[in-house]
Amino acid sequence: MDGPVGLRNVSSHCSINDMDDFDLSRLLDKPRLNIERKRSFDERSLSELSIGLTRGGLDNYDTYSPGGRSGLNTPASSTRDSFEPHPMVADAWEALRKSLVYFRGQPVGTIAAVDHQSEEVLNYDQVFVRDFVPSALAFLMNGEPDIVKNFLLKTLRLQGWEKRIDRFKLGKGAMPASFKVLHDPVRKTDTLIADFGESAIGRVAPVDSGFWWIILLRAYTKSTGDLTLAETPECQKGMRLILTLCLSEGFDTFPTLLCADGCSMIDRRMGIYGYPIEIQALFFMALRCALAMLKHDSEGKECIELIVKRLHALSYHMRGYFWLDFQQLNDIYRYKTEEYSHTAVNKFNVIPDSIPDWVFDFMPTRGGYFIGNVSPARMDFRWFCLGNCVAILSSLATPEQSAAIMDLIEARWDELVGEMPLKIAYPAIESHEWRIVTGCDPKNTRWSYHNGGSWPVLLWLLTAACIKTGRPQIARRAIELAESRLLKDGWPEYYDGKLGRYIGKQARKYQTWSIAGYLVAKMMLEDPSHLGMISLEEDKQMKPVIRRSSSWTC
């Protein structure tokens, strides 16, 4: 995450009136951590929503019941009555509150980092949509939803701005990568400046921002039981605009979403162009979240029908073609090429010699994962943490695949977790391949930053996936590793090295999402019912993955 010191004024700079402002200054004055547990209300399965699309409104939501469980069969914490916060928790909350950004006296987000030692501010003083998600979850879990509501409304307003980059107009549904609040002490005015990619490294618009916005809107609704925000015409339109960008018909023969490098958490050139797993998993999750929140009116019904069709096609494609385990790796190793017609086994004409050597040693007998990318003559066998964790949380992964991902993490603990959770990608690309793939990017050198670096923020995603799969001991072990160093090291953005032993060479200190990710992981492990706001149960009506015997062999 980096960029120029100032954002250019490219049809994105104006002051806006705020009709939804509340006096939330009391957030900074809270005397102590509120650990009163709020239960998420029950989740209805996708099948209930996709069968008969004539039901209206948000009646598809279950009624909020304070004290009710999430319906995810997560066990209650064994330490419920003797919960003693780790000494780091208080420091983390203090640091998180210092990162709050105010617009006209009200908190609207958290800046990326509060690193007073860094000489370059770059864009770390802005509120990033993807970065704010763990902060938002922390506030929701702590019973402070208003800041999340403010953020959702502000970014929704920014979505409506005209977005131009070098005379080219972006789609109406595009959400900003980030925004900044400029305070004028003389005129006593606040102004919002949004960045839709026109100031980013590589000038790439974020594809993931819109998906995270929809996912966060559902998390807010699930946590609070407040249906009114999602029901507003503004939020309904916002969701439809985001999805219109993704569901439009074109030349692509795949249900996956074609994306450029730099469009996600990996926001620099790292060879993820095509159909990166992170975007596909987020796309799937956003579709399911929107399906539960869209009204069945004349405008929403058409979008809902498109979502249902896409979900079935996307799940079939991802579970079949992106999934890799020992058996599938052996099948690819024996592929024949230049096959034609519908009877082809090697449908993407992948050359077996293109399989990198490291995969054969990395793949355990038990375990598997969704690989990074699949496209004609190309399979990116790298492991990407965020995409696999979101696949579990969204139920893009079947229960069997989810368990296999956990098996892989346990079997390859040193490679994927090491001494500081958690590898964003594995393995690192080096030497000539690094020069070609990254364009000689000096920040993405081997085992650093996006190129095999270890990111503490991913701790919350791992913890959520562990709880959902019934493996809380994995999360507990990872959290203990983080607690041994995070506070002492000043909450770095990322760590370097094969084991994540060294603080990143250009890592910011007091990185907000490192702080928030730790808090969310701790609160979720202590009270697993929080999982309900960020997890979706498997849809029983979703077409099951076709077994290898019929899908991968003649």
Side-chain angles (χ1 to χ4, degrees):
M1 175 192 312
D2 38 0
V5 176
L7 294 178
R8 289 191 299 114
N9 178 4
V10 187
S11 303
S12 306
H13 181 263
C14 67
S15 179
I16 66 173
N17 293 323
D18 194 339
M19 300 172 62
D20 303 290
D21 289 344
F22 300 92
D23 181 12
L24 303 178
S25 58
R26 66 181 184 276
L27 287 177
L28 288 180
D29 299 324
K30 293 182 72 68
R32 59 186 177 85
L33 175 64
N34 172 17
I35 58 174
E36 179 182 354
R37 297 168 182 83
K38 292 182 73 66
R39 301 294 190 185
S40 302
F41 60 93
D42 291 347
E43 172 71 28
R44 278 198 176 181
S45 72
L46 170 61
S47 58
E48 294 181 80
L49 300 170
S50 59
I51 296 176
L53 301 174
T54 57
R55 287 183 244 176
L58 286 179
D59 295 333
N60 298 315
Y61 278 85
D62 285 353
T63 304
Y64 176 65
S65 177
R69 292 201 57 76
S70 65
L72 290 164
N73 298 321
T74 52
S77 172
S78 60
T79 59
R80 177 181 304 280
D81 298 321
S82 59
F83 177 55
E84 290 292 337
H86 190 278
M88 276 175 58
V89 171
D91 186 275
W93 273 109
E94 181 181 358
L96 181 60
R97 296 193 189 283
K98 286 181 179 178
S99 71
L100 283 168
V101 172
Y102 290 82
F103 180 78
R104 298 179 181 175
Q106 305 162 51
V108 293
T110 52
I111 61 173
V114 188
D115 188 354
H116 299 296
Q117 297 179 347
S118 177
E119 296 179 358
E120 291 183 299
V121 175
L122 298 177
N123 56 2
Y124 284 81
D125 63 344
Q126 296 177 38
V127 180
F128 281 79
V129 172
R130 78 172 68 94
D131 290 39
F132 180 67
V133 171
S135 296
L137 295 177
F139 285 119
L140 287 174
M141 291 178 184
N142 198 45
E144 303 176 52
D146 288 340
I147 181 176
V148 182
K149 183 176 183 179
N150 286 348
F151 170 85
L152 289 167
L153 291 171
K154 290 295 174 297
T155 46
L156 189 61
R157 292 288 184 86
L158 297 176
Q159 182 195 41
W161 290 5
E162 184 181 66
K163 302 170 276 284
R164 288 184 181 272
I165 299 179
D166 293 337
R167 301 183 181 182
F168 183 73
K169 188 175 181 180
L170 274 67
K172 291 182 179 179
M175 279 287 185
S178 63
F179 66 85
K180 184 175 183 178
V181 178
L182 293 182
H183 301 283
D184 187 333
V186 178
R187 297 182 179 179
K188 296 182 179 181
T189 59
D190 287 347
T191 305
L192 284 180
I193 301 177
D195 176 19
F196 292 91
E198 69 268 24
S199 299
I201 291 289
R203 300 300 189 266
V204 178
V207 177
D208 61 342
S209 289
F211 298 152
W212 278 124
W213 187 89
I214 292 175
I215 293 167
L216 185 57
L217 177 62
R218 175 190 174 272
Y220 169 86
T221 307
K222 297 284 289 183
S223 175
T224 63
D226 176 16
L227 308 180
T228 58
L229 181 61
E231 286 180 330
T232 61
E234 294 79 11
C235 284
Q236 291 287 309
K237 181 181 179 182
M239 285 189 285
R240 291 196 305 269
L241 286 175
I242 292 169
L243 298 177
T244 297
L245 285 176
C246 311
L247 297 173
S248 57
E249 297 175 346
F251 288 98
D252 210 326
T253 59
F254 310 142
T256 41
L257 204 59
L258 183 62
C259 299
D261 253 324
C263 67
S264 61
M265 178 182 175
I266 298 178
D267 58 6
R268 298 163 76 98
R269 180 177 164 190
M270 269 289 293
I272 67 166
Y273 59 88
Y275 307 90
I277 179 60
E278 176 181 334
I279 292 298
Q280 311 316 316
L282 287 171
F283 181 32
F284 183 87
M285 189 166 192
L287 288 175
R288 290 200 62 190
C289 289
L291 187 61
M293 294 186 290
L294 283 170
K295 290 184 177 181
H296 292 252
D297 53 21
S298 57
E299 294 177 302
K301 186 176 180 181
E302 181 180 356
C303 192
I304 289 171
E305 290 173 344
L306 291 174
I307 290 174
V308 172
K309 292 177 182 178
R310 191 62 165 264
L311 279 171
H312 285 279
L314 186 59
S315 63
Y316 174 88
H317 185 92
M318 296 297 297
R319 291 171 180 177
Y321 302 128
F322 273 68
W323 181 252
L324 188 73
D325 55 22
F326 182 84
Q327 181 60 51
Q328 175 61 3
L329 179 59
N330 205 162
D331 290 346
I332 297 173
Y333 177 68
R334 291 169 50 83
Y335 267 171
K336 295 179 180 179
T337 58
E338 305 303 322
E339 293 183 305
Y340 182 75
S341 157
H342 298 290
T343 60
V345 176
N346 186 0
K347 296 184 179 181
F348 298 98
N349 199 38
V350 174
I351 312 300
D353 286 346
S354 68
I355 304 175
D357 292 339
W358 65 265
V359 178
F360 296 102
D361 293 328
F362 178 73
M363 180 61 69
T365 304
R366 291 181 63 243
Y369 65 105
F370 289 99
I371 63 174
N373 226 313
V374 176
S375 58
R378 179 190 181 214
M379 297 184 79
D380 182 350
F381 290 92
R382 284 178 294 175
W383 152 273
F384 290 92
C385 179
L386 193 152
N388 276 273
C389 287
V390 172
I392 292 175
L393 295 177
S394 65
S395 288
L396 170 60
T398 64
E400 294 77 15
Q401 289 173 334
S402 296
I405 293 171
M406 288 292 115
D407 288 340
L408 178 84
I409 292 174
E410 285 192 295
R412 296 293 176 256
W413 184 266
D414 289 343
E415 292 90 339
L416 302 181
V417 181
E419 295 185 19
M420 177 53 66
L422 192 65
K423 282 274 180 273
I424 186 174
Y426 180 88
I429 50 179
E430 309 179 53
S431 305
H432 180 67
E433 185 184 12
W434 166 78
R435 287 189 285 272
I436 297 299
V437 173
T438 73
C440 300
D441 189 343
K443 196 166 185 177
N444 271 328
T445 53
R446 63 176 187 166
W447 307 113
S448 180
Y449 204 46
H450 302 132
N451 190 13
S454 297
W455 292 69
V457 63
L458 296 171
L459 191 61
W460 81 264
L461 284 156
L462 174 66
T463 300
C466 288
I467 293 172
K468 184 171 183 180
T469 55
R471 311 275 188 98
Q473 71 278 4
I474 299 178
R476 191 172 294 112
R477 182 181 175 191
I479 290 173
E480 288 174 357
L481 277 175
E483 287 177 337
S484 69
R485 289 195 59 185
L486 268 182
L487 177 59
K488 179 179 66 176
D489 293 341
W491 305 99
E493 178 184 15
Y494 62 94
Y495 286 77
D496 285 354
K498 281 190 175 182
L499 295 176
R501 180 175 294 177
Y502 305 97
I503 297 175
K505 58 185 175 183
Q506 296 186 44
R508 290 297 193 278
K509 296 292 187 71
Y510 285 90
Q511 185 78 15
T512 303
W513 69 352
S514 295
I515 297 165
Y518 166 73
L519 286 172
V520 172
K522 286 289 285 187
M523 287 190 284
M524 198 177 296
L525 193 60
E526 193 275 328
D527 183 3
S529 71
H530 288 311
L531 179 66
M533 73 173 74
I534 199 65
S535 179
L536 293 156
E537 290 192 82
E538 183 188 18
D539 172 44
K540 303 300 182 183
Q541 297 297 317
M542 190 75 74
K543 292 180 180 179
V545 62
I546 304 301
R547 298 303 173 191
R548 299 257 194 273
S549 57
S550 58
S551 67
W552 289 92
T553 58
C554 293

